[in-house]
Amino acid sequence: MKIVVTGTGGQVVTSLIEAAASMPDIELVAVGRPDLDLADTASIRQAILDAKPDIVVSAAAYTTVDRAEDERNLAYAINVVGAAAVAEVAATLHVPIIHLSTNYVFSGDEAYPYDEEDEAEPKTVYGYTKLRSERAVASVNPRHIILRTSWLYSPFGHNFVRTMLRIAAERQTIAVVSDQWGNPTSALDLADAILLVATHPTRHHTGIFHVAGTGETNWSGFARYIFEVSRTLGGPFAEVQDIVSADYRTRAKRPSNSCLSTDKFDRIFGWRAPSWQVSANTVIRRIIDADYPGSPSRAHGKRKA
Ligand SMILES: NC(=O)c1ccc[n+]([C@@H]2O[C@H](COP(=O)([O-])OP(=O)(O)OC[C@H]3O[C@@H](n4cnc5c(N)ncnc54)[C@H](OP(=O)(O)O)[C@@H]3O)[C@@H](O)[C@H]2O)c1
């Protein structure tokens, strides 16, 4: 099976490339800029037609949540018009599309984990464009699976785990918000889920599914866990000071509760991600091995022990 994924250097793309490398029946091809630019629909059509996929994974997106508030046209062009064009080419080729979306489609005002039937009511430009992308993809390709995920991290690219470790190498105390709740999700696990869907014998499933790490936490709880693991490995760590979102202003206001219920995915595909702590442990280890091998920051962590 040939899987064509959009983007080349993103967290999910890189995790997919790694996971597919050990699956002999899968050929995974990543197409991204400059060959496929989501802001240029002609390039999308040509790149995907040339790649001749059996299935398309739409993983590339405009993902900078704060900047999107000031670049709404670009975010819309990439996330909505671009994603729709990807889905349309897949439809032309009569192949399914797996499209990634986000927990930030929800307002975050409810106290329970959101399921697929809950009303989406994004409060950010990014969340709005991703919700519109879901609708656009679904309207042009009947063979669509939309996977909403949350709080992605991985050994690759920009993410919370790498940021926390980098800052801890420079500071002893870090202030982190404790009033935003969610499910940290390893992109390595998400890649497994995507490949499961792509190769699932009953590929006629369509619709929206939530896929996220199992268990909930808030950002400061996540940061504390990162430093707990890192400290035992001789990596950087810092003291975490809880703060509230009102004291940490960002351009885009994040939802207070963006936890996702993953029961539907489990019911249909028989798969649930490991607990977020188990998956985070794996990723923290990999980052420390790759980024802090006997570095001064590692020594910094040891000094404070
Ligand atoms: N990160 C999260 O916490 C999170 C949470 C929920 C859902 N999601 C969704 O999950 C998906 C994957 O996220 P991620 O964390 O892997 O993203 P990421 O690491 O930020 O990577 C974004 C990817 O999109 C590509 N891209 C951006 N603009 C593009 C354009 N104009 N044309 C072609 N490619 C473009 C980038 O290409 P280059 O390699 O060329 O830079 C990169 O491969 C996205 O749909 C995102 O909305 C993410």
Side-chain angles (χ1 to χ4, degrees), residues 31-277:
V31 285
R33 292 178 285 196
D35 301 329
L36 178 149
D37 184 343
L38 287 174
D40 169 9
T41 47
S43 76
I44 295 169
R45 188 171 172 77
Q46 198 56 52
I48 294 181
L49 287 176
D50 288 351
K52 300 187 173 57
D54 296 310
I55 184 163
V56 174
V57 177
S58 162
Y62 182 109
T63 55
T64 39
V65 178
D66 289 313
R67 206 187 307 155
E69 298 294 314
D70 298 315
E71 292 185 343
R72 17 185 94 214
N73 290 344
L74 183 61
Y76 189 92
I78 291 173
N79 286 353
V80 186
V81 182
V86 172
E88 200 163 14
V89 191
T92 307
L93 293 168
H94 305 288
V95 301
I97 181 165
I98 298 172
H99 176 64
L100 297 187
S101 186
T102 175
N103 53 341
Y104 284 2
V105 297
F106 294 112
S107 68
D109 294 339
E110 305 296 346
Y112 49 76
Y114 288 90
D115 70 27
E116 292 80 352
E117 303 302 319
D118 284 314
E119 192 188 347
E121 203 184 340
K123 286 187 166 170
T124 61
V125 169
Y126 168 73
Y128 170 79
T129 61
K130 293 299 290 186
L131 179 62
R132 292 294 299 267
S133 81
E134 295 179 358
R135 293 174 181 166
V137 165
S139 74
V140 297
N141 191 336
R143 298 178 68 193
H144 61 269
I145 290 214
I146 290 158
L147 300 180
R148 288 187 187 139
T149 190
S150 81
W151 290 16
L152 281 180
Y153 64 90
S154 71
F156 323 111
H158 299 288
N159 60 69
F160 185 74
V161 180
R162 294 189 78 191
T163 302
M164 284 298 112
L165 292 173
R166 179 172 44 74
I167 300 175
E170 295 154 8
R171 281 191 230 156
Q172 302 225 336
T173 305
I174 304 179
V176 187
V177 296
S178 59
D179 58 353
Q180 292 172 27
W181 291 79
N183 316 102
T185 305
S186 166
L188 305 177
D189 293 337
L190 180 60
D192 289 345
I194 292 169
L195 293 173
L196 175 70
V197 172
T199 57
H200 201 264
T202 53
R203 278 173 46 186
H204 57 267
H205 292 303
T206 59
I208 298 176
F209 294 84
H210 291 174
V211 181
T214 298
E216 307 171 358
T217 188
N218 55 48
W219 289 114
S220 69
F222 191 12
R224 278 200 184 85
Y225 184 75
I226 293 165
F227 296 140
E228 194 182 305
V229 174
S230 179
R231 184 176 188 159
T232 64
L233 297 171
F237 60 91
E239 193 180 319
V240 175
Q241 181 198 342
D242 286 1
I243 56 167
V244 291
S245 303
D247 292 332
Y248 183 76
R249 299 248 177 235
T250 49
R251 188 77 181 84
K253 189 177 179 304
R254 270 62 171 177
S256 305
N257 167 38
S258 58
C259 296
L260 299 176
S261 162
T262 59
D263 290 349
K264 181 182 173 188
F265 192 86
D266 187 12
R267 202 169 56 246
I268 303 286
F269 292 102
W271 184 94
R272 205 180 266 285
S275 82
W276 69 263
Q277 292 96 330

